[in-house]
Amino acid sequence: MTPLPFLRNFANAVAAAMMALMFLTFMLQIAVRYSARVEGIAATFPLLDPSLYGWTLEFCLLLWVWLVFWGNAFVVRNRDHVTFDILYLNVPPPVRRRFTIIAGLAICIGLLASIGPTMEKFHILRLKKTATLSNLLGDWVRMRDIYSIYIVFLVAVGVRYGYVVYRAMRYGVDEPRHPE
């Protein structure tokens, strides 16, 4: 098995696991919320005490942030994005090639150049703790850790567009596929 399909399957599995975990956490929120309305349930079953589950909302938000950036970095392909390509589709291949190179370089340089300033902003986040996740994950989790996926996103998408530019320069651009 070549590494690329394995990595794609791994990225999809991680995204699916995050979705499943977010769904299960959401279902836990619902179960606890509605069991709290039943008289004496928290006294009879201390595990269903709603005050123990404040972390679920923040955990779902953490998973959502990670899922969005992970998915866009590793799962969503370029052809899956919505594009406004009326002009692109109606110019000859040499012009499409220049469009691809210019746009790819702009995206690549923009994302990779923003890593330094983003890391500077992350420096202060190393001090900030989450409001409720320490109950679940411990006191070591900082806001920097939650948003660290953004740096991974910047690097992955920047490198991916660098590769798009390389392919356009070396091999040209493919004929556009029209939806059927």
Side-chain angles (χ1 to χ4, degrees):
M1 178 181 234
T2 61
L4 195 58
F6 171 76
L7 292 175
R8 182 174 305 282
N9 289 339
F10 176 75
N12 289 335
V14 169
M18 284 190 278
M19 284 289 285
L21 199 51
M22 189 167 62
F23 177 74
L24 291 173
T25 305
F26 179 68
M27 295 307 291
L28 177 64
Q29 285 176 333
I30 292 171
V32 169
R33 182 175 299 139
Y34 286 103
S35 69
R37 295 182 180 196
V38 178
E39 281 295 317
I41 197 96
T44 308
F45 302 102
L47 192 61
L48 292 176
D49 182 10
S51 66
L52 299 175
Y53 296 97
W55 58 268
T56 57
L57 178 62
E58 198 168 49
F59 189 64
C60 279
L61 293 173
L62 172 145
L63 287 170
W64 181 250
V65 167
W66 271 72
L67 187 61
V68 166
F69 287 116
W70 179 270
N72 280 296
F74 301 115
V75 176
V76 178
R77 298 165 299 196
N78 284 344
R79 67 176 182 245
D80 296 335
H81 288 278
V82 174
T83 58
F84 300 99
D85 53 8
I86 293 171
L87 179 61
Y88 180 84
L89 294 175
N90 290 300
V91 296
V95 177
R96 277 200 306 269
R97 181 180 189 182
R98 283 186 228 127
F99 282 174
T100 300
I101 291 169
I102 291 168
L105 279 174
I107 293 168
C108 177
I109 291 169
L111 291 176
L112 295 178
S114 70
I115 292 172
T118 302
M119 291 297 287
E120 288 176 17
K121 297 294 181 189
F122 274 31
H123 186 68
I124 193 70
L125 292 179
R126 80 188 194 298
L127 302 173
K128 296 183 181 227
K129 293 190 293 187
T130 67
T132 59
L133 282 180
S134 57
N135 297 344
L136 177 68
L137 301 173
D139 200 32
W140 60 273
V141 175
R142 304 291 180 184
M143 294 304 283
R144 173 199 59 209
D145 304 321
I146 291 173
Y147 293 109
S148 64
I149 188 63
Y150 182 65
I151 300 295
V152 174
F153 164 80
L154 290 175
V155 171
V157 176
V159 167
R160 186 178 349 162
Y161 274 94
Y163 183 69
V164 166
V165 169
Y166 165 77
R167 284 194 48 84
M169 291 172 77
R170 177 96 190 235
Y171 305 110
V173 292
D174 297 331
E175 280 299 312
R177 288 184 247 159
H178 297 285
E180 297 173 10

mmCIF file of all heavy atoms in Angstrom, residues 35-36 38-50:
data_model
loop_
_atom_site.group_PDB
_atom_site.id
_atom_site.type_symbol
_atom_site.label_atom_id
_atom_site.label_comp_id
_atom_site.label_asym_id
_atom_site.label_seq_id
_atom_site.Cartn_x
_atom_site.Cartn_y
_atom_site.Cartn_z
ATOM 1 N N SER A 35 -32.712 14.109 31.875
ATOM 2 C CA SER A 35 -32.814 13.358 33.136
ATOM 3 C C SER A 35 -32.808 14.311 34.323
ATOM 4 O O SER A 35 -33.332 13.973 35.386
ATOM 5 C CB SER A 35 -31.672 12.350 33.253
ATOM 6 O OG SER A 35 -30.437 13.009 33.444
ATOM 7 N N ALA A 36 -32.273 15.515 34.165
ATOM 8 C CA ALA A 36 -32.255 16.487 35.261
ATOM 9 C C ALA A 36 -33.656 16.972 35.594
ATOM 10 O O ALA A 36 -33.905 17.427 36.711
ATOM 11 C CB ALA A 36 -31.369 17.672 34.891
ATOM 12 N N VAL A 38 -36.249 15.086 35.836
ATOM 13 C CA VAL A 38 -36.943 14.057 36.612
ATOM 14 C C VAL A 38 -36.551 14.230 38.083
ATOM 15 O O VAL A 38 -35.361 14.264 38.422
ATOM 16 C CB VAL A 38 -36.578 12.641 36.108
ATOM 17 C CG1 VAL A 38 -37.256 11.575 36.953
ATOM 18 C CG2 VAL A 38 -36.928 12.500 34.643
ATOM 19 N N GLU A 39 -37.548 14.342 38.937
ATOM 20 C CA GLU A 39 -37.305 14.541 40.368
ATOM 21 C C GLU A 39 -36.479 13.403 40.960
ATOM 22 O O GLU A 39 -36.768 12.235 40.739
ATOM 23 C CB GLU A 39 -38.644 14.607 41.129
ATOM 24 C CG GLU A 39 -39.347 15.925 41.044
ATOM 25 C CD GLU A 39 -38.576 17.043 41.721
ATOM 26 O OE1 GLU A 39 -38.043 16.840 42.829
ATOM 27 O OE2 GLU A 39 -38.509 18.127 41.120
ATOM 28 N N GLY A 40 -35.438 13.742 41.693
ATOM 29 C CA GLY A 40 -34.644 12.793 42.443
ATOM 30 C C GLY A 40 -33.681 11.942 41.634
ATOM 31 O O GLY A 40 -33.012 11.070 42.196
ATOM 32 N N ILE A 41 -33.603 12.157 40.345
ATOM 33 C CA ILE A 41 -32.713 11.309 39.526
ATOM 34 C C ILE A 41 -31.255 11.550 39.881
ATOM 35 O O ILE A 41 -30.465 10.617 39.951
ATOM 36 C CB ILE A 41 -32.978 11.487 38.013
ATOM 37 C CG1 ILE A 41 -32.371 10.316 37.221
ATOM 38 C CG2 ILE A 41 -32.371 12.734 37.476
ATOM 39 C CD1 ILE A 41 -33.294 9.257 36.918
ATOM 40 N N ALA A 42 -30.888 12.811 40.126
ATOM 41 C CA ALA A 42 -29.500 13.119 40.475
ATOM 42 C C ALA A 42 -29.148 12.563 41.841
ATOM 43 O O ALA A 42 -28.014 12.137 42.072
ATOM 44 C CB ALA A 42 -29.257 14.624 40.424
ATOM 45 N N ALA A 43 -30.110 12.541 42.757
ATOM 46 C CA ALA A 43 -29.855 11.974 44.084
ATOM 47 C C ALA A 43 -29.726 10.457 44.010
ATOM 48 O O ALA A 43 -28.894 9.861 44.696
ATOM 49 C CB ALA A 43 -30.979 12.367 45.040
ATOM 50 N N THR A 44 -30.542 9.822 43.175
ATOM 51 C CA THR A 44 -30.501 8.370 43.041
ATOM 52 C C THR A 44 -29.291 7.912 42.233
ATOM 53 O O THR A 44 -28.636 6.938 42.598
ATOM 54 C CB THR A 44 -31.791 7.872 42.344
ATOM 55 O OG1 THR A 44 -32.917 8.404 43.020
ATOM 56 C CG2 THR A 44 -31.854 6.358 42.350
ATOM 57 N N PHE A 45 -29.002 8.627 41.173
ATOM 58 C CA PHE A 45 -27.866 8.305 40.304
ATOM 59 C C PHE A 45 -26.920 9.507 40.267
ATOM 60 O O PHE A 45 -27.064 10.377 39.407
ATOM 61 C CB PHE A 45 -28.330 7.974 38.878
ATOM 62 C CG PHE A 45 -29.293 6.831 38.807
ATOM 63 C CD1 PHE A 45 -30.646 7.068 38.639
ATOM 64 C CD2 PHE A 45 -28.853 5.517 38.907
ATOM 65 C CE1 PHE A 45 -31.545 6.016 38.568
ATOM 66 C CE2 PHE A 45 -29.739 4.476 38.834
ATOM 67 C CZ PHE A 45 -31.091 4.715 38.672
ATOM 68 N N PRO A 46 -25.959 9.561 41.176
ATOM 69 C CA PRO A 46 -25.071 10.732 41.232
ATOM 70 C C PRO A 46 -24.305 10.983 39.936
ATOM 71 O O PRO A 46 -23.900 12.101 39.662
ATOM 72 C CB PRO A 46 -24.103 10.395 42.371
ATOM 73 C CG PRO A 46 -24.750 9.317 43.149
ATOM 74 C CD PRO A 46 -25.676 8.595 42.220
ATOM 75 N N LEU A 47 -24.145 9.951 39.124
ATOM 76 C CA LEU A 47 -23.443 10.118 37.861
ATOM 77 C C LEU A 47 -24.229 11.004 36.883
ATOM 78 O O LEU A 47 -23.653 11.586 35.970
ATOM 79 C CB LEU A 47 -23.207 8.738 37.230
ATOM 80 C CG LEU A 47 -22.258 8.685 36.054
ATOM 81 C CD1 LEU A 47 -20.866 9.154 36.469
ATOM 82 C CD2 LEU A 47 -22.187 7.289 35.486
ATOM 83 N N LEU A 48 -25.522 11.144 37.085
ATOM 84 C CA LEU A 48 -26.354 11.960 36.206
ATOM 85 C C LEU A 48 -26.563 13.380 36.739
ATOM 86 O O LEU A 48 -27.430 14.101 36.231
ATOM 87 C CB LEU A 48 -27.712 11.288 35.982
ATOM 88 C CG LEU A 48 -27.673 9.998 35.175
ATOM 89 C CD1 LEU A 48 -29.055 9.372 35.099
ATOM 90 C CD2 LEU A 48 -27.122 10.241 33.796
ATOM 91 N N ASP A 49 -25.796 13.777 37.715
ATOM 92 C CA ASP A 49 -25.887 15.147 38.241
ATOM 93 C C ASP A 49 -25.442 16.124 37.154
ATOM 94 O O ASP A 49 -24.297 16.058 36.688
ATOM 95 C CB ASP A 49 -24.999 15.278 39.475
ATOM 96 C CG ASP A 49 -25.069 16.652 40.101
ATOM 97 O OD1 ASP A 49 -25.947 17.451 39.703
ATOM 98 O OD2 ASP A 49 -24.242 16.928 40.992
ATOM 99 N N PRO A 50 -26.311 17.030 36.727
ATOM 100 C CA PRO A 50 -25.970 17.937 35.620
ATOM 101 C C PRO A 50 -24.754 18.821 35.892
ATOM 102 O O PRO A 50 -24.078 19.242 34.953
ATOM 103 C CB PRO A 50 -27.229 18.797 35.461
ATOM 104 C CG PRO A 50 -28.316 18.034 36.103
ATOM 105 C CD PRO A 50 -27.685 17.205 37.171
#
